[in-house]
mmCIF file of all heavy atoms in Angstrom:
data_model
loop_
_atom_site.group_PDB
_atom_site.id
_atom_site.type_symbol
_atom_site.label_atom_id
_atom_site.label_comp_id
_atom_site.label_asym_id
_atom_site.label_seq_id
_atom_site.Cartn_x
_atom_site.Cartn_y
_atom_site.Cartn_z
ATOM 1 N N LEU A 22 -128.571 -16.203 -18.070
ATOM 2 C CA LEU A 22 -129.477 -15.813 -16.995
ATOM 3 C C LEU A 22 -129.467 -16.849 -15.879
ATOM 4 O O LEU A 22 -129.440 -16.514 -14.700
ATOM 5 C CB LEU A 22 -130.896 -15.633 -17.543
ATOM 6 C CG LEU A 22 -131.935 -15.129 -16.556
ATOM 7 C CD1 LEU A 22 -131.521 -13.762 -16.033
ATOM 8 C CD2 LEU A 22 -133.293 -15.053 -17.200
ATOM 9 N N ARG A 23 -129.440 -18.144 -16.258
ATOM 10 C CA ARG A 23 -129.381 -19.196 -15.251
ATOM 11 C C ARG A 23 -128.083 -19.114 -14.461
ATOM 12 O O ARG A 23 -128.064 -19.300 -13.255
ATOM 13 C CB ARG A 23 -129.500 -20.569 -15.914
ATOM 14 C CG ARG A 23 -130.904 -21.107 -15.850
ATOM 15 C CD ARG A 23 -130.993 -22.499 -16.410
ATOM 16 N NE ARG A 23 -131.055 -22.405 -17.868
ATOM 17 C CZ ARG A 23 -130.180 -22.937 -18.701
ATOM 18 N NH1 ARG A 23 -129.161 -23.617 -18.256
ATOM 19 N NH2 ARG A 23 -130.310 -22.803 -19.992
ATOM 20 N N ALA A 24 -126.970 -18.838 -15.138
ATOM 21 C CA ALA A 24 -125.686 -18.734 -14.462
ATOM 22 C C ALA A 24 -125.672 -17.537 -13.512
ATOM 23 O O ALA A 24 -125.101 -17.604 -12.423
ATOM 24 C CB ALA A 24 -124.558 -18.612 -15.477
ATOM 25 N N LEU A 25 -126.300 -16.430 -13.929
ATOM 26 C CA LEU A 25 -126.353 -15.250 -13.066
ATOM 27 C C LEU A 25 -127.223 -15.495 -11.844
ATOM 28 O O LEU A 25 -126.963 -14.975 -10.772
ATOM 29 C CB LEU A 25 -126.871 -14.052 -13.853
ATOM 30 C CG LEU A 25 -125.917 -13.464 -14.891
ATOM 31 C CD1 LEU A 25 -126.628 -12.411 -15.706
ATOM 32 C CD2 LEU A 25 -124.695 -12.883 -14.226
ATOM 33 N N GLN A 26 -128.283 -16.288 -12.007
ATOM 34 C CA GLN A 26 -129.163 -16.561 -10.887
ATOM 35 C C GLN A 26 -128.512 -17.489 -9.869
ATOM 36 O O GLN A 26 -128.771 -17.399 -8.689
ATOM 37 C CB GLN A 26 -130.467 -17.177 -11.375
ATOM 38 C CG GLN A 26 -131.348 -16.185 -12.093
ATOM 39 C CD GLN A 26 -132.541 -16.842 -12.747
ATOM 40 O OE1 GLN A 26 -132.586 -18.064 -12.879
ATOM 41 N NE2 GLN A 26 -133.496 -16.032 -13.162
ATOM 42 N N ARG A 27 -127.641 -18.401 -10.344
ATOM 43 C CA ARG A 27 -126.992 -19.328 -9.431
ATOM 44 C C ARG A 27 -126.041 -18.621 -8.481
ATOM 45 O O ARG A 27 -126.046 -18.855 -7.295
ATOM 46 C CB ARG A 27 -126.234 -20.401 -10.217
ATOM 47 C CG ARG A 27 -127.089 -21.606 -10.472
ATOM 48 C CD ARG A 27 -126.279 -22.714 -11.059
ATOM 49 N NE ARG A 27 -126.578 -22.749 -12.478
ATOM 50 C CZ ARG A 27 -125.706 -22.970 -13.422
ATOM 51 N NH1 ARG A 27 -124.464 -23.195 -13.137
ATOM 52 N NH2 ARG A 27 -126.059 -22.977 -14.686
ATOM 53 N N LYS A 28 -125.190 -17.770 -9.012
ATOM 54 C CA LYS A 28 -124.284 -17.012 -8.160
ATOM 55 C C LYS A 28 -123.861 -15.752 -8.879
ATOM 56 O O LYS A 28 -123.882 -15.691 -10.100
ATOM 57 C CB LYS A 28 -123.069 -17.830 -7.751
ATOM 58 C CG LYS A 28 -122.051 -18.028 -8.820
ATOM 59 C CD LYS A 28 -120.823 -18.690 -8.243
ATOM 60 C CE LYS A 28 -119.643 -18.415 -9.133
ATOM 61 N NZ LYS A 28 -118.414 -18.856 -8.589
ATOM 62 N N ALA A 29 -123.474 -14.747 -8.126
ATOM 63 C CA ALA A 29 -123.033 -13.495 -8.723
ATOM 64 C C ALA A 29 -121.672 -13.707 -9.377
ATOM 65 O O ALA A 29 -120.765 -14.276 -8.776
ATOM 66 C CB ALA A 29 -122.953 -12.409 -7.669
ATOM 67 N N ILE A 30 -121.516 -13.257 -10.610
ATOM 68 C CA ILE A 30 -120.276 -13.418 -11.345
ATOM 69 C C ILE A 30 -119.471 -12.133 -11.225
ATOM 70 O O ILE A 30 -119.954 -11.063 -11.565
ATOM 71 C CB ILE A 30 -120.552 -13.742 -12.825
ATOM 72 C CG1 ILE A 30 -121.296 -15.067 -12.925
ATOM 73 C CG2 ILE A 30 -119.260 -13.780 -13.610
ATOM 74 C CD1 ILE A 30 -121.752 -15.390 -14.317
ATOM 75 N N MET A 31 -118.239 -12.242 -10.708
ATOM 76 C CA MET A 31 -117.361 -11.090 -10.649
ATOM 77 C C MET A 31 -116.531 -11.030 -11.911
ATOM 78 O O MET A 31 -116.134 -12.057 -12.448
ATOM 79 C CB MET A 31 -116.427 -11.181 -9.444
ATOM 80 C CG MET A 31 -116.959 -10.510 -8.227
ATOM 81 S SD MET A 31 -115.735 -10.430 -6.948
ATOM 82 C CE MET A 31 -114.622 -9.223 -7.603
ATOM 83 N N ALA A 32 -116.280 -9.850 -12.375
ATOM 84 C CA ALA A 32 -115.530 -9.700 -13.611
ATOM 85 C C ALA A 32 -114.043 -9.870 -13.370
ATOM 86 O O ALA A 32 -113.502 -9.358 -12.389
ATOM 87 C CB ALA A 32 -115.810 -8.326 -14.213
ATOM 88 N N ARG A 33 -113.387 -10.592 -14.251
ATOM 89 C CA ARG A 33 -111.934 -10.725 -14.293
ATOM 90 C C ARG A 33 -111.323 -11.190 -12.977
ATOM 91 O O ARG A 33 -110.404 -10.565 -12.454
ATOM 92 C CB ARG A 33 -111.282 -9.415 -14.741
ATOM 93 C CG ARG A 33 -111.794 -8.859 -16.040
ATOM 94 C CD ARG A 33 -111.689 -9.810 -17.193
ATOM 95 N NE ARG A 33 -110.311 -10.162 -17.477
ATOM 96 C CZ ARG A 33 -109.959 -11.141 -18.304
ATOM 97 N NH1 ARG A 33 -110.869 -11.854 -18.904
ATOM 98 N NH2 ARG A 33 -108.694 -11.404 -18.510
ATOM 99 N N SER A 34 -111.842 -12.269 -12.430
ATOM 100 C CA SER A 34 -111.222 -12.877 -11.261
ATOM 101 C C SER A 34 -111.262 -14.385 -11.439
ATOM 102 O O SER A 34 -112.118 -14.919 -12.133
ATOM 103 C CB SER A 34 -111.944 -12.474 -9.971
ATOM 104 O OG SER A 34 -113.246 -12.994 -9.963
ATOM 105 N N CYS A 35 -110.326 -15.068 -10.799
ATOM 106 C CA CYS A 35 -110.246 -16.518 -10.890
ATOM 107 C C CYS A 35 -111.423 -17.135 -10.136
ATOM 108 O O CYS A 35 -111.744 -16.726 -9.023
ATOM 109 C CB CYS A 35 -108.922 -17.001 -10.309
ATOM 110 S SG CYS A 35 -108.749 -18.798 -10.304
ATOM 111 N N ALA A 36 -112.064 -18.130 -10.753
ATOM 112 C CA ALA A 36 -113.219 -18.766 -10.131
ATOM 113 C C ALA A 36 -112.816 -19.666 -8.970
ATOM 114 O O ALA A 36 -113.643 -19.981 -8.116
ATOM 115 C CB ALA A 36 -113.976 -19.585 -11.173
ATOM 116 N N ILE A 37 -111.549 -20.063 -8.885
ATOM 117 C CA ILE A 37 -111.108 -20.986 -7.840
ATOM 118 C C ILE A 37 -110.475 -20.240 -6.670
ATOM 119 O O ILE A 37 -110.914 -20.358 -5.532
ATOM 120 C CB ILE A 37 -110.128 -22.022 -8.418
ATOM 121 C CG1 ILE A 37 -110.847 -22.855 -9.480
ATOM 122 C CG2 ILE A 37 -109.557 -22.911 -7.330
ATOM 123 C CD1 ILE A 37 -109.960 -23.769 -10.255
ATOM 124 N N CYS A 38 -109.443 -19.438 -6.938
ATOM 125 C CA CYS A 38 -108.724 -18.779 -5.838
ATOM 126 C C CYS A 38 -109.149 -17.326 -5.636
ATOM 127 O O CYS A 38 -108.818 -16.727 -4.627
ATOM 128 C CB CYS A 38 -107.221 -18.847 -6.076
ATOM 129 S SG CYS A 38 -106.647 -17.900 -7.500
ATOM 130 N N GLY A 39 -109.850 -16.720 -6.599
ATOM 131 C CA GLY A 39 -110.320 -15.355 -6.455
ATOM 132 C C GLY A 39 -109.275 -14.301 -6.767
ATOM 133 O O GLY A 39 -109.427 -13.148 -6.390
ATOM 134 N N LYS A 40 -108.202 -14.700 -7.461
ATOM 135 C CA LYS A 40 -107.136 -13.749 -7.787
ATOM 136 C C LYS A 40 -107.668 -12.672 -8.725
ATOM 137 O O LYS A 40 -108.334 -12.967 -9.707
ATOM 138 C CB LYS A 40 -105.989 -14.492 -8.456
ATOM 139 C CG LYS A 40 -104.793 -13.622 -8.761
ATOM 140 C CD LYS A 40 -103.754 -14.400 -9.534
ATOM 141 C CE LYS A 40 -103.031 -15.356 -8.627
ATOM 142 N NZ LYS A 40 -101.901 -16.016 -9.315
ATOM 143 N N THR A 41 -107.388 -11.394 -8.414
ATOM 144 C CA THR A 41 -107.825 -10.276 -9.242
ATOM 145 C C THR A 41 -106.614 -9.411 -9.583
ATOM 146 O O THR A 41 -105.501 -9.691 -9.151
ATOM 147 C CB THR A 41 -108.867 -9.402 -8.511
ATOM 148 O OG1 THR A 41 -108.290 -8.924 -7.302
ATOM 149 C CG2 THR A 41 -110.126 -10.189 -8.216
ATOM 150 N N SER A 42 -106.852 -8.351 -10.327
ATOM 151 C CA SER A 42 -105.755 -7.463 -10.695
ATOM 152 C C SER A 42 -105.355 -6.593 -9.499
ATOM 153 O O SER A 42 -106.170 -6.306 -8.626
ATOM 154 C CB SER A 42 -106.143 -6.586 -11.877
ATOM 155 O OG SER A 42 -107.257 -5.800 -11.553
ATOM 156 N N ILE A 43 -104.077 -6.183 -9.485
ATOM 157 C CA ILE A 43 -103.567 -5.341 -8.409
ATOM 158 C C ILE A 43 -102.864 -4.147 -9.021
ATOM 159 O O ILE A 43 -102.457 -4.182 -10.186
ATOM 160 C CB ILE A 43 -102.610 -6.108 -7.471
ATOM 161 C CG1 ILE A 43 -101.404 -6.635 -8.240
ATOM 162 C CG2 ILE A 43 -103.317 -7.218 -6.741
ATOM 163 C CD1 ILE A 43 -100.319 -7.203 -7.364
ATOM 164 N N GLY A 44 -102.735 -3.095 -8.265
ATOM 165 C CA GLY A 44 -102.060 -1.897 -8.742
ATOM 166 C C GLY A 44 -100.586 -1.926 -8.409
ATOM 167 O O GLY A 44 -100.152 -2.572 -7.465
ATOM 168 N N GLY A 45 -99.815 -1.218 -9.212
ATOM 169 C CA GLY A 45 -98.383 -1.151 -8.972
ATOM 170 C C GLY A 45 -97.777 0.009 -9.728
ATOM 171 O O GLY A 45 -98.484 0.920 -10.163
ATOM 172 N N PHE A 46 -96.475 -0.024 -9.893
ATOM 173 C CA PHE A 46 -95.765 1.043 -10.577
ATOM 174 C C PHE A 46 -94.876 0.463 -11.665
ATOM 175 O O PHE A 46 -94.311 -0.615 -11.511
ATOM 176 C CB PHE A 46 -94.886 1.838 -9.600
ATOM 177 C CG PHE A 46 -95.662 2.550 -8.546
ATOM 178 C CD1 PHE A 46 -95.763 2.027 -7.268
ATOM 179 C CD2 PHE A 46 -96.291 3.746 -8.826
ATOM 180 C CE1 PHE A 46 -96.477 2.678 -6.297
ATOM 181 C CE2 PHE A 46 -97.008 4.413 -7.859
ATOM 182 C CZ PHE A 46 -97.097 3.881 -6.589
ATOM 183 N N ASN A 47 -94.749 1.208 -12.780
ATOM 184 C CA ASN A 47 -93.798 0.858 -13.826
ATOM 185 C C ASN A 47 -92.419 1.334 -13.391
ATOM 186 O O ASN A 47 -92.268 2.475 -12.963
ATOM 187 C CB ASN A 47 -94.158 1.574 -15.130
ATOM 188 C CG ASN A 47 -94.930 0.701 -16.069
ATOM 189 O OD1 ASN A 47 -94.961 -0.508 -15.909
ATOM 190 N ND2 ASN A 47 -95.552 1.307 -17.045
ATOM 191 N N PRO A 48 -91.404 0.492 -13.511
ATOM 192 C CA PRO A 48 -90.063 0.971 -13.168
ATOM 193 C C PRO A 48 -89.559 1.948 -14.226
ATOM 194 O O PRO A 48 -89.604 1.652 -15.417
ATOM 195 C CB PRO A 48 -89.228 -0.305 -13.142
ATOM 196 C CG PRO A 48 -89.973 -1.270 -13.974
ATOM 197 C CD PRO A 48 -91.423 -0.910 -13.869
ATOM 198 N N GLN A 49 -89.113 3.102 -13.799
ATOM 199 C CA GLN A 49 -88.590 4.107 -14.719
ATOM 200 C C GLN A 49 -87.071 4.058 -14.663
ATOM 201 O O GLN A 49 -86.477 4.192 -13.590
ATOM 202 C CB GLN A 49 -89.081 5.506 -14.322
ATOM 203 C CG GLN A 49 -90.589 5.626 -14.329
ATOM 204 C CD GLN A 49 -91.176 5.503 -15.720
ATOM 205 O OE1 GLN A 49 -90.686 6.129 -16.640
ATOM 206 N NE2 GLN A 49 -92.186 4.691 -15.871
ATOM 207 N N SER A 50 -86.435 3.866 -15.796
ATOM 208 C CA SER A 50 -84.991 3.651 -15.789
ATOM 209 C C SER A 50 -84.193 4.896 -16.145
ATOM 210 O O SER A 50 -82.984 4.909 -15.977
ATOM 211 C CB SER A 50 -84.635 2.538 -16.768
ATOM 212 O OG SER A 50 -85.082 2.887 -18.061
ATOM 213 N N SER A 51 -84.846 5.926 -16.654
ATOM 214 C CA SER A 51 -84.073 7.089 -17.080
ATOM 215 C C SER A 51 -84.460 8.305 -16.256
ATOM 216 O O SER A 51 -85.582 8.401 -15.759
ATOM 217 C CB SER A 51 -84.322 7.379 -18.562
ATOM 218 O OG SER A 51 -85.670 7.709 -18.757
ATOM 219 N N GLY A 52 -83.530 9.243 -16.114
ATOM 220 C CA GLY A 52 -83.827 10.486 -15.402
ATOM 221 C C GLY A 52 -83.367 10.442 -13.960
ATOM 222 O O GLY A 52 -83.144 9.384 -13.383
ATOM 223 N N MET A 53 -83.255 11.610 -13.385
ATOM 224 C CA MET A 53 -82.778 11.714 -12.007
ATOM 225 C C MET A 53 -83.899 11.486 -10.989
ATOM 226 O O MET A 53 -83.668 10.948 -9.919
ATOM 227 C CB MET A 53 -82.186 13.111 -11.772
ATOM 228 C CG MET A 53 -80.841 13.311 -12.394
ATOM 229 S SD MET A 53 -79.551 12.511 -11.474
ATOM 230 C CE MET A 53 -79.415 13.600 -10.086
ATOM 231 N N ASN A 54 -85.131 11.900 -11.306
ATOM 232 C CA ASN A 54 -86.188 11.887 -10.305
ATOM 233 C C ASN A 54 -86.888 10.548 -10.166
ATOM 234 O O ASN A 54 -87.621 10.337 -9.214
ATOM 235 C CB ASN A 54 -87.225 12.971 -10.617
ATOM 236 C CG ASN A 54 -86.674 14.346 -10.349
ATOM 237 O OD1 ASN A 54 -85.754 14.483 -9.567
ATOM 238 N ND2 ASN A 54 -87.225 15.345 -10.998
ATOM 239 N N ARG A 55 -86.705 9.640 -11.087
ATOM 240 C CA ARG A 55 -87.325 8.310 -11.032
ATOM 241 C C ARG A 55 -88.836 8.411 -10.820
ATOM 242 O O ARG A 55 -89.370 7.950 -9.804
ATOM 243 C CB ARG A 55 -86.717 7.456 -9.932
ATOM 244 C CG ARG A 55 -85.236 7.280 -10.040
ATOM 245 C CD ARG A 55 -84.932 6.061 -10.864
ATOM 246 N NE ARG A 55 -83.521 5.739 -10.754
ATOM 247 C CZ ARG A 55 -82.724 5.662 -11.795
ATOM 248 N NH1 ARG A 55 -83.189 5.898 -12.992
ATOM 249 N NH2 ARG A 55 -81.469 5.354 -11.652
ATOM 250 N N VAL A 56 -89.521 9.055 -11.737
ATOM 251 C CA VAL A 56 -90.966 9.218 -11.649
ATOM 252 C C VAL A 56 -91.618 7.852 -11.801
ATOM 253 O O VAL A 56 -91.308 7.107 -12.717
ATOM 254 C CB VAL A 56 -91.475 10.178 -12.748
ATOM 255 C CG1 VAL A 56 -92.970 10.308 -12.693
ATOM 256 C CG2 VAL A 56 -90.812 11.524 -12.598
#
């Protein structure tokens, strides 16, 4: 509770640089359409 009152805690981000998750695509190696 004390930690929450001091500052808002964001989930799953770096406390120093603020790096978070990003979206992307899985490379598909088989097939003609490359989904």
Side-chain angles (χ1 to χ4, degrees):
L22 184 60
R23 262 184 279 120
L25 288 173
Q26 288 172 346
R27 268 188 257 141
K28 75 173 202 173
I30 297 173
M31 268 189 71
R33 306 304 298 169
S34 66
C35 177
I37 298 172
C38 66
K40 184 185 285 187
T41 58
S42 60
I43 60 171
F46 296 101
N47 262 344
Q49 300 293 313
S50 58
S51 63
M53 285 284 286
N54 288 336
R55 303 270 191 238
V56 178

